[in-house]
Amino acid sequence: MIELQEIPPEPIEPTSLPQYDGTGAPKGEGDSDGRRKIFGIPYPISNRSCQKFLWNCQKLSVLPIALYFPLHAINTLVTPAISPTSAPDDVLMMVREILPSITTKLLVGAMTLHVSAGVLLRIIKNWNNSSKKTDNHLKISARQDLSQDTIGLTGGVYGYLFGLYKNFRISPQVISGYILTPVLIYHLLIMKWVPRSLSTEVDFASIKQLLSNKNRWWKWLGGIIPLAVLIESSVYHIGSGFCRYLGIKKMRSRKNWSTAINLLTLAGFISVIRLIRADSTRLGPNQFESIFKKIGSLLQRR
């Protein structure tokens, strides 16, 4: 006589079953990695690896800027604030002798890579956020997110002074990058690219003439306003970026870093004011007249 015995069922390995995506149909083996598809074709690389690659591109692209920025900051933000007469040009000539001739091309390439990777990374993040299902219920958290992506460097003025940190929908570092990009292109245009096409170089004597020009359009729209925006956005963007790449997370350290950024920005504004007030009547012909005429002729051709 055959006896039947009841035995416990053996567990089934999860890897032997097709994955379920919650839509009523199991995924096939080709979708086991969870990659998205375009017209039924999966991405050649995963979303996470793409973001990591772009993030590494941004980190590597700041190396030339990190080496160049201290020299340029001393020359343009600190030295004119101390002595706006001949010292800035002396430091400028020394820096030009130290740096190789390929410096400008290297910096432009690094900044192009940095901006391109940042824009693509932002597009991917926005796309991922829009595709996720958002929960409309109120979420109560006992601890506020103090990352730079959420509150910036110190959470605004109230965060810096009183510890009342403000959340930003878009990080101030990202916003400063958006502002910095067109102003930096204009800066390179009038300081490097157009003067090079005219076989000349711009020095601080020319900058003094621009900032004290009788033509208000050239003085304000061509000189003072772009220069002020460039100082504010570049110092904040580069300073907060260094803070992030160095992994500084303590709020006290970030506030100290923010203080250094504000002091350097203030020194830059003082430098601009002192250059405006400097005597430019004995500096010879104004180079920016030919530079702006060249830009005007290029715009008319297009």
Side-chain angles (χ1 to χ4, degrees), residues 204-214 219 275 280-288:
F204 276 91
S206 303
I207 296 174
K208 293 175 187 177
Q209 290 176 333
L210 174 63
L211 297 179
S212 60
N213 200 292
K214 295 180 180 180
K219 177 180 179 179
L275 289 173
S280 60
T281 57
R282 303 178 182 178
L283 298 178
N286 193 339
Q287 293 182 345
F288 278 100

Side-chain angles (χ1 to χ4, degrees), residues 143-217:
R143 187 175 182 181
Q144 185 181 9
D145 184 8
L146 299 181
S147 65
Q148 283 192 236
D149 288 335
T150 304
I151 68 168
L153 196 58
T154 59
V157 177
Y158 286 101
Y160 179 82
L161 296 177
F162 309 112
L164 302 176
Y165 307 115
K166 178 181 179 181
N167 291 350
F168 295 93
R169 190 174 64 87
I170 301 178
S171 171
Q173 187 178 357
V174 175
I175 296 176
S176 64
Y178 291 156
I179 298 173
L180 175 60
T181 300
V183 180
L184 187 59
I185 293 174
Y186 170 76
H187 183 71
L188 289 170
L189 185 67
I190 66 172
M191 297 294 180
K192 290 292 183 180
W193 294 333
V194 175
R196 185 172 298 171
S197 66
L198 298 174
S199 301
T200 185
E201 289 184 345
V202 175
D203 53 11
F204 276 91
S206 303
I207 296 174
K208 293 175 187 177
Q209 290 176 333
L210 174 63
L211 297 179
S212 60
N213 200 292
K214 295 180 180 180
N215 189 324
R216 293 183 178 180
W217 292 99

Side-chain angles (χ1 to χ4, degrees), residues 55-232:
W55 173 252
N56 289 331
C57 286
Q58 276 206 310
K59 289 182 67 176
L60 292 175
S61 64
V62 302
L63 291 178
I65 304 172
L67 297 175
Y68 177 77
F69 180 74
L71 292 174
H72 194 63
I74 292 173
N75 186 198
T76 58
L77 303 180
V78 178
T79 305
I82 299 173
S83 175
T85 53
S86 61
D89 280 318
D90 295 338
V91 177
L92 178 62
M93 294 302 297
M94 181 183 66
V95 171
R96 286 177 176 175
E97 291 178 359
I98 294 175
L99 298 176
S101 58
I102 199 175
T103 300
T104 302
K105 294 181 180 179
L106 184 62
L107 289 173
V108 171
M111 287 184 288
T112 302
L113 176 62
H114 187 80
V115 173
S116 302
V119 170
L120 291 175
L121 191 60
R122 189 70 186 174
I123 292 174
I124 292 175
K125 286 184 177 181
N126 290 339
W127 186 21
N128 292 337
N129 293 335
S130 63
S131 63
K132 292 179 181 178
K133 294 181 179 179
T134 57
D135 188 3
N136 294 326
H137 295 287
L138 179 63
K139 295 182 179 180
I140 301 176
S141 177
R143 187 175 182 181
Q144 185 181 9
D145 184 8
L146 299 181
S147 65
Q148 283 192 236
D149 288 335
T150 304
I151 68 168
L153 196 58
T154 59
V157 177
Y158 286 101
Y160 179 82
L161 296 177
F162 309 112
L164 302 176
Y165 307 115
K166 178 181 179 181
N167 291 350
F168 295 93
R169 190 174 64 87
I170 301 178
S171 171
Q173 187 178 357
V174 175
I175 296 176
S176 64
Y178 291 156
I179 298 173
L180 175 60
T181 300
V183 180
L184 187 59
I185 293 174
Y186 170 76
H187 183 71
L188 289 170
L189 185 67
I190 66 172
M191 297 294 180
K192 290 292 183 180
W193 294 333
V194 175
R196 185 172 298 171
S197 66
L198 298 174
S199 301
T200 185
E201 289 184 345
V202 175
D203 53 11
F204 276 91
S206 303
I207 296 174
K208 293 175 187 177
Q209 290 176 333
L210 174 63
L211 297 179
S212 60
N213 200 292
K214 295 180 180 180
N215 189 324
R216 293 183 178 180
W217 292 99
W218 289 6
K219 177 180 179 179
W220 287 96
L221 296 182
I224 295 177
I225 294 177
L227 198 56
V229 175
L230 177 66
I231 292 172
E232 176 68 29

Side-chain angles (χ1 to χ4, degrees), residues 228-296:
V229 175
L230 177 66
I231 292 172
E232 176 68 29
S233 59
S234 62
V235 173
Y236 180 84
H237 188 77
I238 295 174
S240 60
F242 284 167
C243 181
R244 183 174 185 177
Y245 288 145
L246 293 175
I248 300 175
K249 297 181 179 180
K250 292 183 178 180
M251 187 54 62
R252 178 176 296 180
S253 300
R254 283 160 59 176
K255 287 184 178 180
N256 293 335
W257 201 272
S258 179
T259 301
I261 291 174
N262 293 332
L263 290 176
L264 187 58
T265 303
L266 179 61
F269 289 153
I270 294 174
S271 296
V272 173
I273 294 173
R274 298 207 67 184
L275 289 173
I276 293 173
R277 295 179 177 179
D279 185 15
S280 60
T281 57
R282 303 178 182 178
L283 298 178
N286 193 339
Q287 293 182 345
F288 278 100
E289 291 184 5
S290 57
I291 291 174
F292 286 140
K293 287 180 180 178
K294 178 72 173 181
I295 295 175

